[in-house]
C-alpha cells in the first residue's frame, strides 16, 4: 500500500513538474515580406506590440491584428526573412538592456552595441513600451534644468521633468542647442540620453566625437537609428531611449533625453503604416500619429518623493518646412509639450546665434522652474527685447526717430549682442545673473555693439578676481536682493572706469 502511495506521489510530482515547464507557442507562416513589413497567417492569439520569433533567430513586432492576418515589422535585416518562414508568438514585448552599464555607450534601438566596445554586461532589462507615471506618482516641476544658454535659461526656462520642444527649419542650430544642453550637465549629476532618428551616419559620428571632446559621453547614452536603417528601427528608437532613461529616473536620478528628431520618426511611422495598408489621413499620416508621440512624451515626468523623486526632462526636436509651425506634425507636438523654443533661419543668417525667436518661444512651466536670482533679473530683459523687435521693424521704414525710440533701439541692439552665444560655451547660472543685471540696468550704454562680448567676458573675469564673494553669494543662496544688485552695479561702474 505504501509503495503504491509512493508511486502515485512520484507520478503526481512529475505531472506538476511537466505543467510548470511547458510553454505553448502559437505558430504561423509568413506570406509576404516587403521593406521590413511582413504579413503572417495562422497566428490567431497574438497581442498588439508583442515580440514575434521567426525561425532562423529573427524577430518582429506585431502591429496590425486583422481577422485572418497579422501585420508585423521586422526587427532584423530584411534579407534574412522570406515568405514561408515560421513565426512563433513569445508572449513578451521588446525589451532592451538598461542601467549604468549603458553610460558612455552607443547602441541601436534593440540594445545591440554599435561602438565596438564589446558586449553590454547587465542583468537589468526594460520593456521599450511602458505606461507613463500616473498623476499621483508625479510631483510639481520645480527645479531648473540649466542649458547654459543665457537666452533660454533667462527667458524660456526649462524645469526638471518638463518637455520643451526645439522647433525650426533645417540648419538652424537645433541639434547644437540640444548638445549644448547635454554638455552643460557635466558635473551636475544629470544623466543624458541622445536618440538619433533618421540622421546621416556622419552627423551621428560628429555628435559622438563632440561629446567625447567635451567629456560628456561618460554620462550619456546614445541610441542611434540612422537614415540607412529600416523604418521599424527608426520607429522604435525613441521608445528604447525612453526605456533606458526611465530606468535611471525610477532609480531616483535626474535624466535629460533628446529626440533628434521626431519629424523623421513620424515619417518612419508613416512608411510602416502605409506598408501595413492602414488608412491614411492628413498628409498621408495614419490616424494614430498623435498617439505615438503623446504616449512617448507623457513618459517624461518629475516623480514624487515616494518614488525616489527622479525626473525625466525631454527635449524633442521638430524640423519645419519654411518656418511653417502650423503643419500637422509640428502642431501635434507643440500641443503635447510644455512649451517650445522656436529657431528661425532669418535670425540664424543675420548671425544671431542661437537663433531663438523670443516672441514665439514659451515655457509653460516658466518662472516656477527658475531660481529666485534668475527670476528677479530676467523679467525685464524679455520685455525689453520684445519692445526692441517691435521698434526695429518700424525703424526699417526710415522714419524720423525720437530720442526715446533711439534709446530702445540702442538697448535692444546691445541686448541682442550679449545674448549671442557660440556653440559649446555653456555659461554658469551666476555669470548669467551678473550679465542680466548689466542688461537690466542699461550699464552697457555707450559701448559699441561689437565690443559687448569682450566687455562682458572681461567684467566676469574681473568680478571673479576682485569680488568673488558676490558670485559666491549667488551660488549659495540662489537669490539676490536690492543691495546685491547695487553692489554689482557699482562694481560694473568701477570696472568701466578702470578699463
Ligand atoms: P539639421 O536640420 O541639419 O539637423 P540643425 O538645425 O540641427 O540642422 P545644427 O546642425 O545644430 O542645425 O547647426 C547647423 C550649423 O550651425 C552647424 O554648422 C553649427 O556648427 C552651426 N551653429 C549652430 N549653433 C551655433 C552657434 N550658437 N554659434 C555658431 N554656429 C552655430
Ligand atoms: Mg540636427
Amino acid at each position: 500500500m505504501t509503495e503504491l502511495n509512493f508511486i502515485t506521489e512520484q507520478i503526481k510530482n512529475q505531472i506538476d513538474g511537466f505543467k510548470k515547464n511547458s510553454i505553448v507557442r502559437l505558430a504561423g507562416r509568413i506570406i509576404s515580406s516587403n521593406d521590413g513589413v511582413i504579413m503572417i497567417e495562422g497566428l490567431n492569439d497574438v497581442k498588439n506590440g508583442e515580440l514575434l520569433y521567426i525561425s532562423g533567430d529573427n524577430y518582429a513586432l506585431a502591429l496590425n491584428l486583422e481577422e485572418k492576418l497579422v501585420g508585423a515589422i521586422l526587427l532584423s535585416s530584411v534579407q534574412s526573412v522570406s515568405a514561408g518562414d515560421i513565426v512563433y508568438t513569445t508572449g513578451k514585448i521588446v525589451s532592451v538592456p538598461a542601467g549604468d552599464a549603458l553610460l558612455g555607450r552607443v547602441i541601436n534601438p534593440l540594445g545591440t552595441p554599435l561602438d565596438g566596445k564589446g558586449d553590454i554586461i547587465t542583468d537589468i532589462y526594460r520593456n521599450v513600451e511602458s505606461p507613463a507615471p500616473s498623476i499621483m506618482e508625479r510631483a510639481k516641476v520645480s527645479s531648473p534644468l540649466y542649458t547654459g544658454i543665457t537666452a533660454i535659461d533667462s527667458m524660456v526656462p526649462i524645469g526638471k521633468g518638463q518637455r520643451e520642444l526645439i522647433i525650426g527649419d533645417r540648419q538652424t542650430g537645433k541639434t547644437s542647442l540640444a548638445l549644448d544642453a547635454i554638455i552643460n550637465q557635466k558635473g551636475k549629476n544629470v544623466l543624458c540620453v541622445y536618440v538619433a532618428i533618421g540622421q546621416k551616419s556622419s552627423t551621428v559620428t560628429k555628435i559622438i566625437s563632440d561629446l567625447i571632446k567635451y567629456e560628456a559621453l561618460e554620462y550619456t547614452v546614445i541610441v542611434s537609428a540612422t537614415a540607412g536603417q529600416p523604418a521599424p528601427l527608426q520607429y522604435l528608437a525613441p521608445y528604447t531611449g525612453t526605456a533606458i532613461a526611465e530606468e535611471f529616473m525610477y532609480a531616483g536620478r535626474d535624466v535629460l533625453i533628446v529626440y533628434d528628431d521626431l519629424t523623421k520618426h513620424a515619417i518612419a511611422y508613416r512608411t510602416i503604416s502605409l506598408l501595413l495598408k492602414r488608412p491614411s489621413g492628413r498628409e498621408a499620416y495614419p490616424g494614430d500619429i498623435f498617439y505615438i508621440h503623446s504616449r512617448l512624451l507623457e513618459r517624461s515626468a518629475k516623480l514624487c518623493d515616494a518614488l525616489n523623486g527622479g525626473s525625466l526632462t525631454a527635449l524633442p526636436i521638430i524640423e519645419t518646412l519654411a518656418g511653417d509651425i502650423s503643419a500637422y506634425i509640428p502642431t501635434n507636438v507643440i500641443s503635447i509639450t510644455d512649451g517650445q523654443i522656436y529657431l528661425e533661419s532669418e535670425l540664424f543668417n543675420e548671425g544671431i546665434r542661437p537663433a531663438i525667436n523670443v516672441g514665439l518661444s514659451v515655457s509653460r512651466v516658466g518662472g516656477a522652474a527658475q531660481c529666485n536670482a534668475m527670476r528677479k533679473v530676467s523679467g525685464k530683459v524679455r520685455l525689453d527685447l520684445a519692445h526692441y523687435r517691435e521698434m526695429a521693424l518700424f525703424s526699417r521704414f526710415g522714419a524720423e526717430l525720437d530720442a526715446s525710440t533711439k534709446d530702445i533701439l540702442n538697448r535692444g541692439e546691445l541686448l541682442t549682442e550679449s545674448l549671442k552665444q557660440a556653440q559649446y560655451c555653456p555659461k554658469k547660472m551666476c555669470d548669467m545673473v551678473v550679465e542680466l543685471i548689466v542688461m537690466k540696468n542699461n550699464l552697457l550704454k555707450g559701448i559699441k555693439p561689437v565690443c559687448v562680448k569682450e566687455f562682458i567676458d572681461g567684467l566676469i573675469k574681473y568680478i571673479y578676481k576682485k569680488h568673488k564673494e558676490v558670485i559666491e553669494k549667488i551660488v549659495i543662496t540662489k537669490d539676490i536682493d536690492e543691495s546685491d544688485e547695487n553692489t554689482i552695479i557699482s562694481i560694473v561702474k568701477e570696472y568701466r572706469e578702470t578699463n
Side-chain angles (χ1 to χ4, degrees), residues 165-205:
L165 172 67
I166 300 174
I167 185 166
D169 280 5
R170 55 175 295 277
Q171 290 289 305
T172 46
K174 305 183 294 298
T175 304
S176 311
L177 206 91
L179 280 188
D180 275 341
I182 291 181
I183 289 168
N184 192 46
Q185 303 314 316
K186 188 170 159 48
K188 293 198 173 64
N189 209 7
V190 176
L191 301 175
C192 303
V193 179
Y194 177 83
V195 185
I197 311 160
Q199 299 196 44
K200 284 184 288 184
S201 301
S202 59
T203 314
V204 180
T205 314

Side-chain angles (χ1 to χ4, degrees), residues 153-451:
D153 291 345
S154 61
M155 291 180 284
V156 241
I158 301 172
K160 285 184 178 155
Q162 190 181 341
R163 300 152 303 172
E164 182 82 7
L165 172 67
I166 300 174
I167 185 166
D169 280 5
R170 55 175 295 277
Q171 290 289 305
T172 46
K174 305 183 294 298
T175 304
S176 311
L177 206 91
L179 280 188
D180 275 341
I182 291 181
I183 289 168
N184 192 46
Q185 303 314 316
K186 188 170 159 48
K188 293 198 173 64
N189 209 7
V190 176
L191 301 175
C192 303
V193 179
Y194 177 83
V195 185
I197 311 160
Q199 299 196 44
K200 284 184 288 184
S201 301
S202 59
T203 314
V204 180
T205 314
K206 167 89 174 37
I207 288 167
I208 296 169
S209 68
D210 282 348
L211 289 179
I212 293 174
K213 190 167 156 199
Y214 294 95
E215 296 168 355
L217 192 66
E218 56 216 57
Y219 56 84
T220 306
V221 184
I222 297 180
V223 180
S224 164
T226 52
Q229 306 260 313
L233 284 189
Q234 293 184 34
Y235 160 70
L236 208 58
Y239 303 103
T240 300
T242 311
I244 292 166
E246 270 174 347
E247 180 65 34
F248 295 131
M249 171 177 74
Y250 283 107
R253 313 286 304 262
D254 290 319
V255 194
L256 169 68
I257 187 164
V258 176
Y259 305 106
D260 195 0
D261 61 64
L262 289 187
T263 312
K264 301 207 179 69
H265 181 242
I267 292 171
Y269 189 63
R270 175 169 69 183
T271 310
I272 295 169
S273 299
L274 292 175
L275 286 167
L276 283 168
K277 301 199 171 57
R278 289 183 176 176
S280 55
R282 189 172 156 189
E283 292 179 26
Y285 287 106
D288 60 344
I289 192 80
F290 185 88
Y291 174 58
I292 68 160
H293 287 153
S294 63
R295 78 164 189 262
L296 173 73
L297 293 166
E298 275 301 301
R299 287 161 74 179
S300 304
K302 164 78 188 150
L303 294 180
C304 62
D305 287 340
L307 287 173
N308 299 332
S311 71
L312 174 56
T313 313
L315 294 180
I317 295 179
I318 284 280
E319 184 180 308
T320 51
L321 265 178
D324 183 11
I325 48 172
S326 59
Y328 191 25
I329 303 300
T331 39
N332 275 355
V333 184
I334 285 175
S335 67
I336 297 166
T337 47
D338 312 305
Q340 73 272 354
I341 296 168
Y342 183 53
L343 302 174
E344 227 171 46
S345 315
E346 261 170 52
L347 294 175
F348 190 86
N349 296 337
E350 277 171 32
I352 301 173
R353 298 175 190 180
I356 301 169
N357 177 326
V358 180
L360 289 179
S361 302
V362 287
S363 167
R364 276 169 223 146
V365 174
Q370 262 178 327
C371 68
N372 285 340
M374 196 59 121
R375 192 173 330 120
K376 283 180 187 166
V377 296
S378 61
K380 191 158 181 296
V381 172
R382 192 185 171 106
L383 276 180
D384 274 354
L385 204 60
H387 212 159
Y388 161 67
R389 293 269 156 84
E390 202 177 307
M391 291 291 177
L393 220 59
F394 276 115
S395 68
R396 281 195 202 159
F397 299 124
E400 192 96 335
L401 300 173
D402 57 41
S404 74
T405 314
K406 273 187 191 155
D407 190 48
I408 291 170
L409 287 177
N410 181 256
R411 277 179 79 155
E413 224 173 302
L414 295 171
L415 186 56
T416 309
E417 206 54 49
S418 84
L419 289 178
K420 284 185 189 172
Q421 201 169 333
Q423 247 177 303
Y424 316 121
C425 300
K427 286 187 190 167
K428 289 192 209 133
M429 183 275 285
C430 46
D431 299 0
M432 284 183 199
V433 170
V434 172
E435 190 178 339
L436 291 166
I437 289 176
V438 174
M439 298 301 140
K440 184 174 164 228
N441 295 289
N442 199 14
L443 303 177
L444 290 175
K445 207 170 175 177
I447 294 177
K448 283 195 200 118
V450 284
C451 305

Side-chain angles (χ1 to χ4, degrees), residues 108-141:
N108 81 355
L110 298 173
T112 314
L114 300 172
D115 50 7
K117 288 189 197 160
D119 291 343
I120 290 164
I121 299 157
T122 178
D123 330 319
I124 308 169
Y125 278 80
R126 217 183 155 83
N127 288 345
V128 291
E129 297 270 7
S130 70
S134 67
I135 296 175
M136 297 309 288
E137 288 166 355
R138 291 173 189 250
K140 202 165 151 259
V141 173

